[in-house]
Amino acid sequence: MVWAWQLWLSPRPLRRRINASQKSFVAAGNMARFDVLDEPDGRWGLRETHYIDNPRVKAGLSGPPLHIHLKQDEFFVVDQGILAAEIDGKEHVLTKNDGVLPIYRNSRHRFWSHPSATESLIFHGWADPCKDQDHILDANFLRNVVGYFADCHEAGLQPSVFQLILFYDNASSLLTPPWLNWMPLWLLVIVHHMLATWIAAGLLGYKPSYPENTEVLDQGERTGPDGVVQRQHHSAKTRRD
């Protein structure tokens, strides 16, 4: 339950879109599309399409803010267009001819469609590990973040940095704005977690995830491409919030 004074301190959308079971969902303003890719062994990946006709994509503003994953490595492969990525202060530019871009855990990074592109950016990626652990980057994290941005856009509200901090904290990840580059990782972890638990959750009443955006699977089950829950030997664990 959210109190009136919490809404006054930090306005938020009063209605949430339901995308918990969706394998495809779109970003605010139809800027990008996200397709969850299921693998036979229970792993999952993600295909992102950043539409070139969207002004924010064309301006190079379509990707996530600078952040760190504490438990996972990420890997990207470009299928179309030009992907730009900043990793620990160094910019990389990739096309479909450049192979796999690895982004190792504890690296400060972000990515976007390069402004020089003349076609929509399409790339796919995956994280390692991506299953059998709680509080990691997974499809539910993406559903919650993308859904929240889209709901704020629809309601005409500015997204709360504290809600985003809580989302990232729940996925063992950190938001790292450039003005915090001086802060060592161990201290950033402490500060980020305090902001997530004391301010975002404790004071403002935000949640680390929401049922409208969170698919819940029993251990040993996964959702197939047709949306049907299937039994499997390796579980694709998701959080129960």
Side-chain angles (χ1 to χ4, degrees):
M1 178 178 178
V2 179
W3 298 96
W5 61 268
Q6 292 173 322
L7 291 172
W8 177 77
L9 276 177
S10 186
R12 65 207 68 186
L14 298 180
R15 297 181 60 184
R16 294 188 176 277
R17 69 193 57 233
I18 299 174
N19 65 5
S21 61
Q22 293 178 359
K23 293 299 181 183
S24 299
F25 40 96
V26 296
N30 294 319
M31 178 173 54
R33 174 188 171 107
F34 303 86
D35 296 289
V36 178
L37 308 174
D38 287 310
E39 303 294 343
D41 64 354
R43 294 184 299 112
W44 70 277
L46 187 75
R47 180 171 59 245
E48 294 191 27
T49 303
H50 296 222
Y51 297 111
I52 192 66
D53 57 351
N54 185 283
R56 290 185 62 83
V57 174
K58 188 63 179 175
L61 301 174
S62 60
L66 201 64
H67 62 283
I68 294 172
H69 301 300
L70 300 175
K71 292 184 176 181
Q72 295 164 286
D73 305 320
E74 284 185 293
F75 303 90
F76 296 145
V77 176
V78 175
D79 302 307
Q80 175 185 294
I82 305 175
L83 173 69
E86 177 186 343
I87 306 174
D88 288 334
K90 182 179 179 180
E91 184 171 318
H92 303 257
V93 178
L94 284 90
T95 68
K96 63 182 181 181
N97 299 319
D98 293 318
V100 179
L101 174 68
I103 303 177
Y104 298 112
R105 66 194 69 188
N106 298 334
S107 299
R108 299 172 193 246
H109 66 281
R110 64 187 183 99
F111 52 88
W112 62 97
S113 176
H114 198 276
S116 67
T118 58
E119 57 185 349
S120 296
L121 170 66
I122 303 175
F123 69 100
H124 64 274
W126 62 95
D128 183 32
C130 66
K131 63 175 185 174
D132 300 327
Q133 290 192 34
D134 293 325
H135 305 293
I136 58 175
L137 169 65
D138 61 11
N140 280 334
F141 166 79
L142 294 168
R143 289 188 181 99
N144 275 272
V145 172
V146 172
Y148 175 66
F149 270 103
D151 290 339
C152 287
H153 177 79
E154 188 174 283
L157 295 173
Q158 184 70 22
S160 166
V161 67
F162 293 107
Q163 173 66 92
L164 297 177
I165 286 173
L166 186 56
F167 282 149
Y168 274 78
D169 183 75
N170 194 46
S172 299
S173 302
L174 313 171
L175 286 177
T176 59
W179 51 271
L180 286 180
N181 282 347
W182 63 271
M183 189 175 289
L185 182 59
W186 66 267
L187 181 57
L188 184 61
V189 170
I190 294 173
V191 171
H192 194 278
H193 187 64
M194 290 173 61
L195 290 173
T197 54
W198 294 0
I199 305 299
L203 177 63
L204 299 177
Y206 284 114
K207 304 296 183 185
S209 64
Y210 296 88
E212 297 90 342
N213 311 124
T214 304
E215 182 181 30
V216 179
L217 301 180
D218 292 332
Q219 187 169 356
E221 293 182 343
R222 65 187 288 271
T223 303
D226 56 358
V228 177
V229 174
Q230 304 169 341
R231 298 296 300 180
Q232 62 174 19
H233 295 295
H234 300 286
S235 64
K237 288 179 63 179
T238 58
R239 295 181 297 279
R240 296 179 181 268
D241 294 300

